[in-house]
């Protein structure tokens, strides 16, 4: 009998209020036309806000945020939409969600992100207002964020501000990410004082991982080779070095002798900011 163990992870986004898990549309969802505005951006105001944000982070003992062009484009587009409608929102009518906006403008692999929006007569007043608001201050001083993009648009005497934050992760090749997963399996076996498993060079696990990514589903058909395994573990993960909790049963089985790993990084409708689709076969 083959035991199938399935797990998945979700990207956590925060809006300047509380962290939320973004529900994502199915692949067949209709295309959404972004809101457009002719309002000019204010690069100097954006720069000043980033400087002030990093000064506040330094005072809190936190590393600085690195400017990301993709996140900047997303923040600018949202700030322009806010200025055009003269209102504050994290998702205006007809506008994509934060996860979709970031995925459309940045190729970065993000496992979490957040957003601040505000308006004020000046840059200093905008910064003061954000720092006085606990949820907005929490985003600015979130130690998990390492990249950001700020957008500022002036409408009359008012500056509309959108600040997009993210935690960027490295993107590994299929071989490298599979090696990382295999190393985690070996470490887990070693920690349990169990004999190490022989790693098999099998294309079935890799083909299955990429098939799951293409289908945007963990429940893809099993090949004959996969059906011969004692356990199969399939899951999605932002960080290939972290095995899901469901891995314990298979990795800890004393009767196992070998295993193979397949990993495929991809952006899909369920994971617009990217995720690793992983298949591990145990024999």
């Amino acid at each position: 009998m083959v035991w199938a163990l399935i797990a998945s992870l979700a990207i956590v986004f925060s809006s300047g209020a509380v962290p939320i898990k973004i529900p994502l549309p199915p692949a067949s969802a209709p295309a959404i036309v972004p809101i457009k505005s002719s309002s000019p951006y204010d690069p100097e105001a954006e720069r000043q806000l980033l400087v002030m944000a990093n000064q506040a982070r330094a005072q809190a003992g936190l590393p600085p945020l690195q400017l990301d062009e993709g996140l900047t484009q997303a923040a600018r587009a949202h700030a322009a939409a806010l200025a055009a409608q003269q209102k504050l929102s994290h998702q205006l009518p007809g506008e994509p969600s934060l996860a979709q906006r970031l995925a459309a403008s940045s190729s970065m692999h993000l496992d979490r992100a957040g957003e601040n929006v505000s308006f004020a007569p000046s840059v200093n007043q905008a910064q003061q207002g954000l720092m006085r608001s606990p949820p907005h201050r929490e985003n600015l001083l979130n130690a998990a964020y390492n990249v950001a993009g700020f957008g500022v648009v002036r409408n009359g005497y008012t500056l509309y501000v959108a600040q997009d934050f993210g935690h960027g992760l490295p993107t590994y090749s299929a071989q490298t990410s599979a090696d990382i997963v295999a190393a985690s399996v070996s470490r887990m076996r070693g920690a349990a004082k169990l004999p190490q498993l022989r790693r098999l060079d099998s294309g079935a696990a890799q083909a299955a991982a990429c098939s799951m990514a293409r289908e945007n589903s963990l429940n893809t058909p099993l090949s004959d080779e996969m059906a011969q395994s004692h356990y199969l573990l399939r899951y999605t993960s932002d960080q290939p070095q972290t095995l899901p909790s469901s891995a314990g049963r298979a990795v800890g089985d004393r009767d196992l002798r070998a295993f193979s790993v397949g990993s495929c990084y991809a952006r899909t409708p369920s994971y617009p900011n990217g995720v690793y689709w992983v298949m591990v076969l145990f024999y």
Side-chain angles (χ1 to χ4, degrees):
M1 176 181 292
V2 178
W3 290 93
L5 308 173
I6 299 177
S8 62
L9 303 177
I11 299 174
V12 177
F13 284 75
S14 61
S15 62
V18 293
I20 57 175
K21 289 186 178 179
I22 299 294
L24 299 169
S28 59
I32 303 175
V33 179
I35 299 171
K36 296 182 179 180
S37 170
S38 59
S39 302
Y41 307 122
D42 191 332
E44 178 58 24
E46 294 167 356
R47 186 194 67 82
Q48 291 175 14
L49 282 171
L50 180 62
V51 169
M52 288 188 284
N54 281 334
Q55 287 174 343
R57 289 175 67 89
Q59 292 173 359
L62 300 173
L65 296 167
Q66 300 299 316
L67 186 65
D68 177 72
E69 182 60 31
L71 268 62
T72 298
Q73 292 177 10
R76 284 180 168 180
H78 190 55
L82 299 178
Q85 298 198 22
Q86 299 183 46
K87 64 187 296 185
L88 293 183
S89 174
H90 292 291
Q91 186 174 5
L92 294 165
E95 187 182 37
S97 67
L98 175 60
Q100 293 169 317
R101 286 189 274 118
L102 297 185
S105 63
S106 175
S107 60
M108 184 172 294
H109 179 202
L110 301 172
D111 68 339
R112 63 177 58 236
E115 183 175 75
N116 285 343
V117 295
S118 70
F119 66 87
S122 70
V123 171
N124 286 335
Q125 288 171 295
Q127 176 67 8
Q128 291 170 6
L130 291 168
M131 290 298 289
R132 290 195 188 109
S133 168
H136 295 85
R137 179 187 177 92
E138 181 179 348
N139 272 341
L140 285 163
L141 301 183
N142 191 324
Y145 295 148
N146 56 9
V147 292
F150 292 176
V152 178
V153 172
R154 180 176 293 279
N155 187 325
Y157 296 100
T158 303
L159 293 177
Y160 284 83
V161 178
Q163 299 176 321
D164 288 342
F165 308 91
H167 180 232
L169 295 169
T171 303
Y172 301 109
S173 67
Q175 183 62 54
T176 300
S177 58
D179 291 344
I180 293 173
V181 173
S184 295
V185 171
S186 296
R187 282 195 301 271
M188 195 169 180
R189 292 280 294 188
K193 300 186 183 307
L194 295 172
Q196 289 298 326
L197 302 176
R198 181 167 59 93
R199 183 179 175 186
L200 304 177
D201 185 13
S202 170
Q206 183 59 39
C210 292
S211 177
M212 292 190 301
R214 285 192 302 272
E215 298 297 326
N216 189 35
S217 172
L218 293 171
N219 296 305
T220 55
L222 302 181
S223 67
D224 292 340
E225 180 177 340
M226 292 163 57
Q228 294 174 8
S229 63
H230 190 64
Y231 294 98
L232 63 86
L233 175 66
R234 43 188 171 183
Y235 62 97
T236 59
S237 177
D238 289 307
Q239 303 188 48
Q241 63 269 28
T242 302
L243 298 176
S245 57
S246 56
R249 178 176 183 177
V251 176
D253 192 324
R254 293 180 177 274
D255 295 328
L256 297 178
R257 295 294 180 266
F259 75 115
S260 63
V261 180
S263 176
C264 190
Y265 175 82
R267 290 184 167 204
T268 71
S270 294
Y271 299 95
N273 297 98
V275 76
Y276 294 94
W277 297 79
V278 182
M279 173 69 78
V280 188
L281 304 175
F282 296 91
Y283 302 92

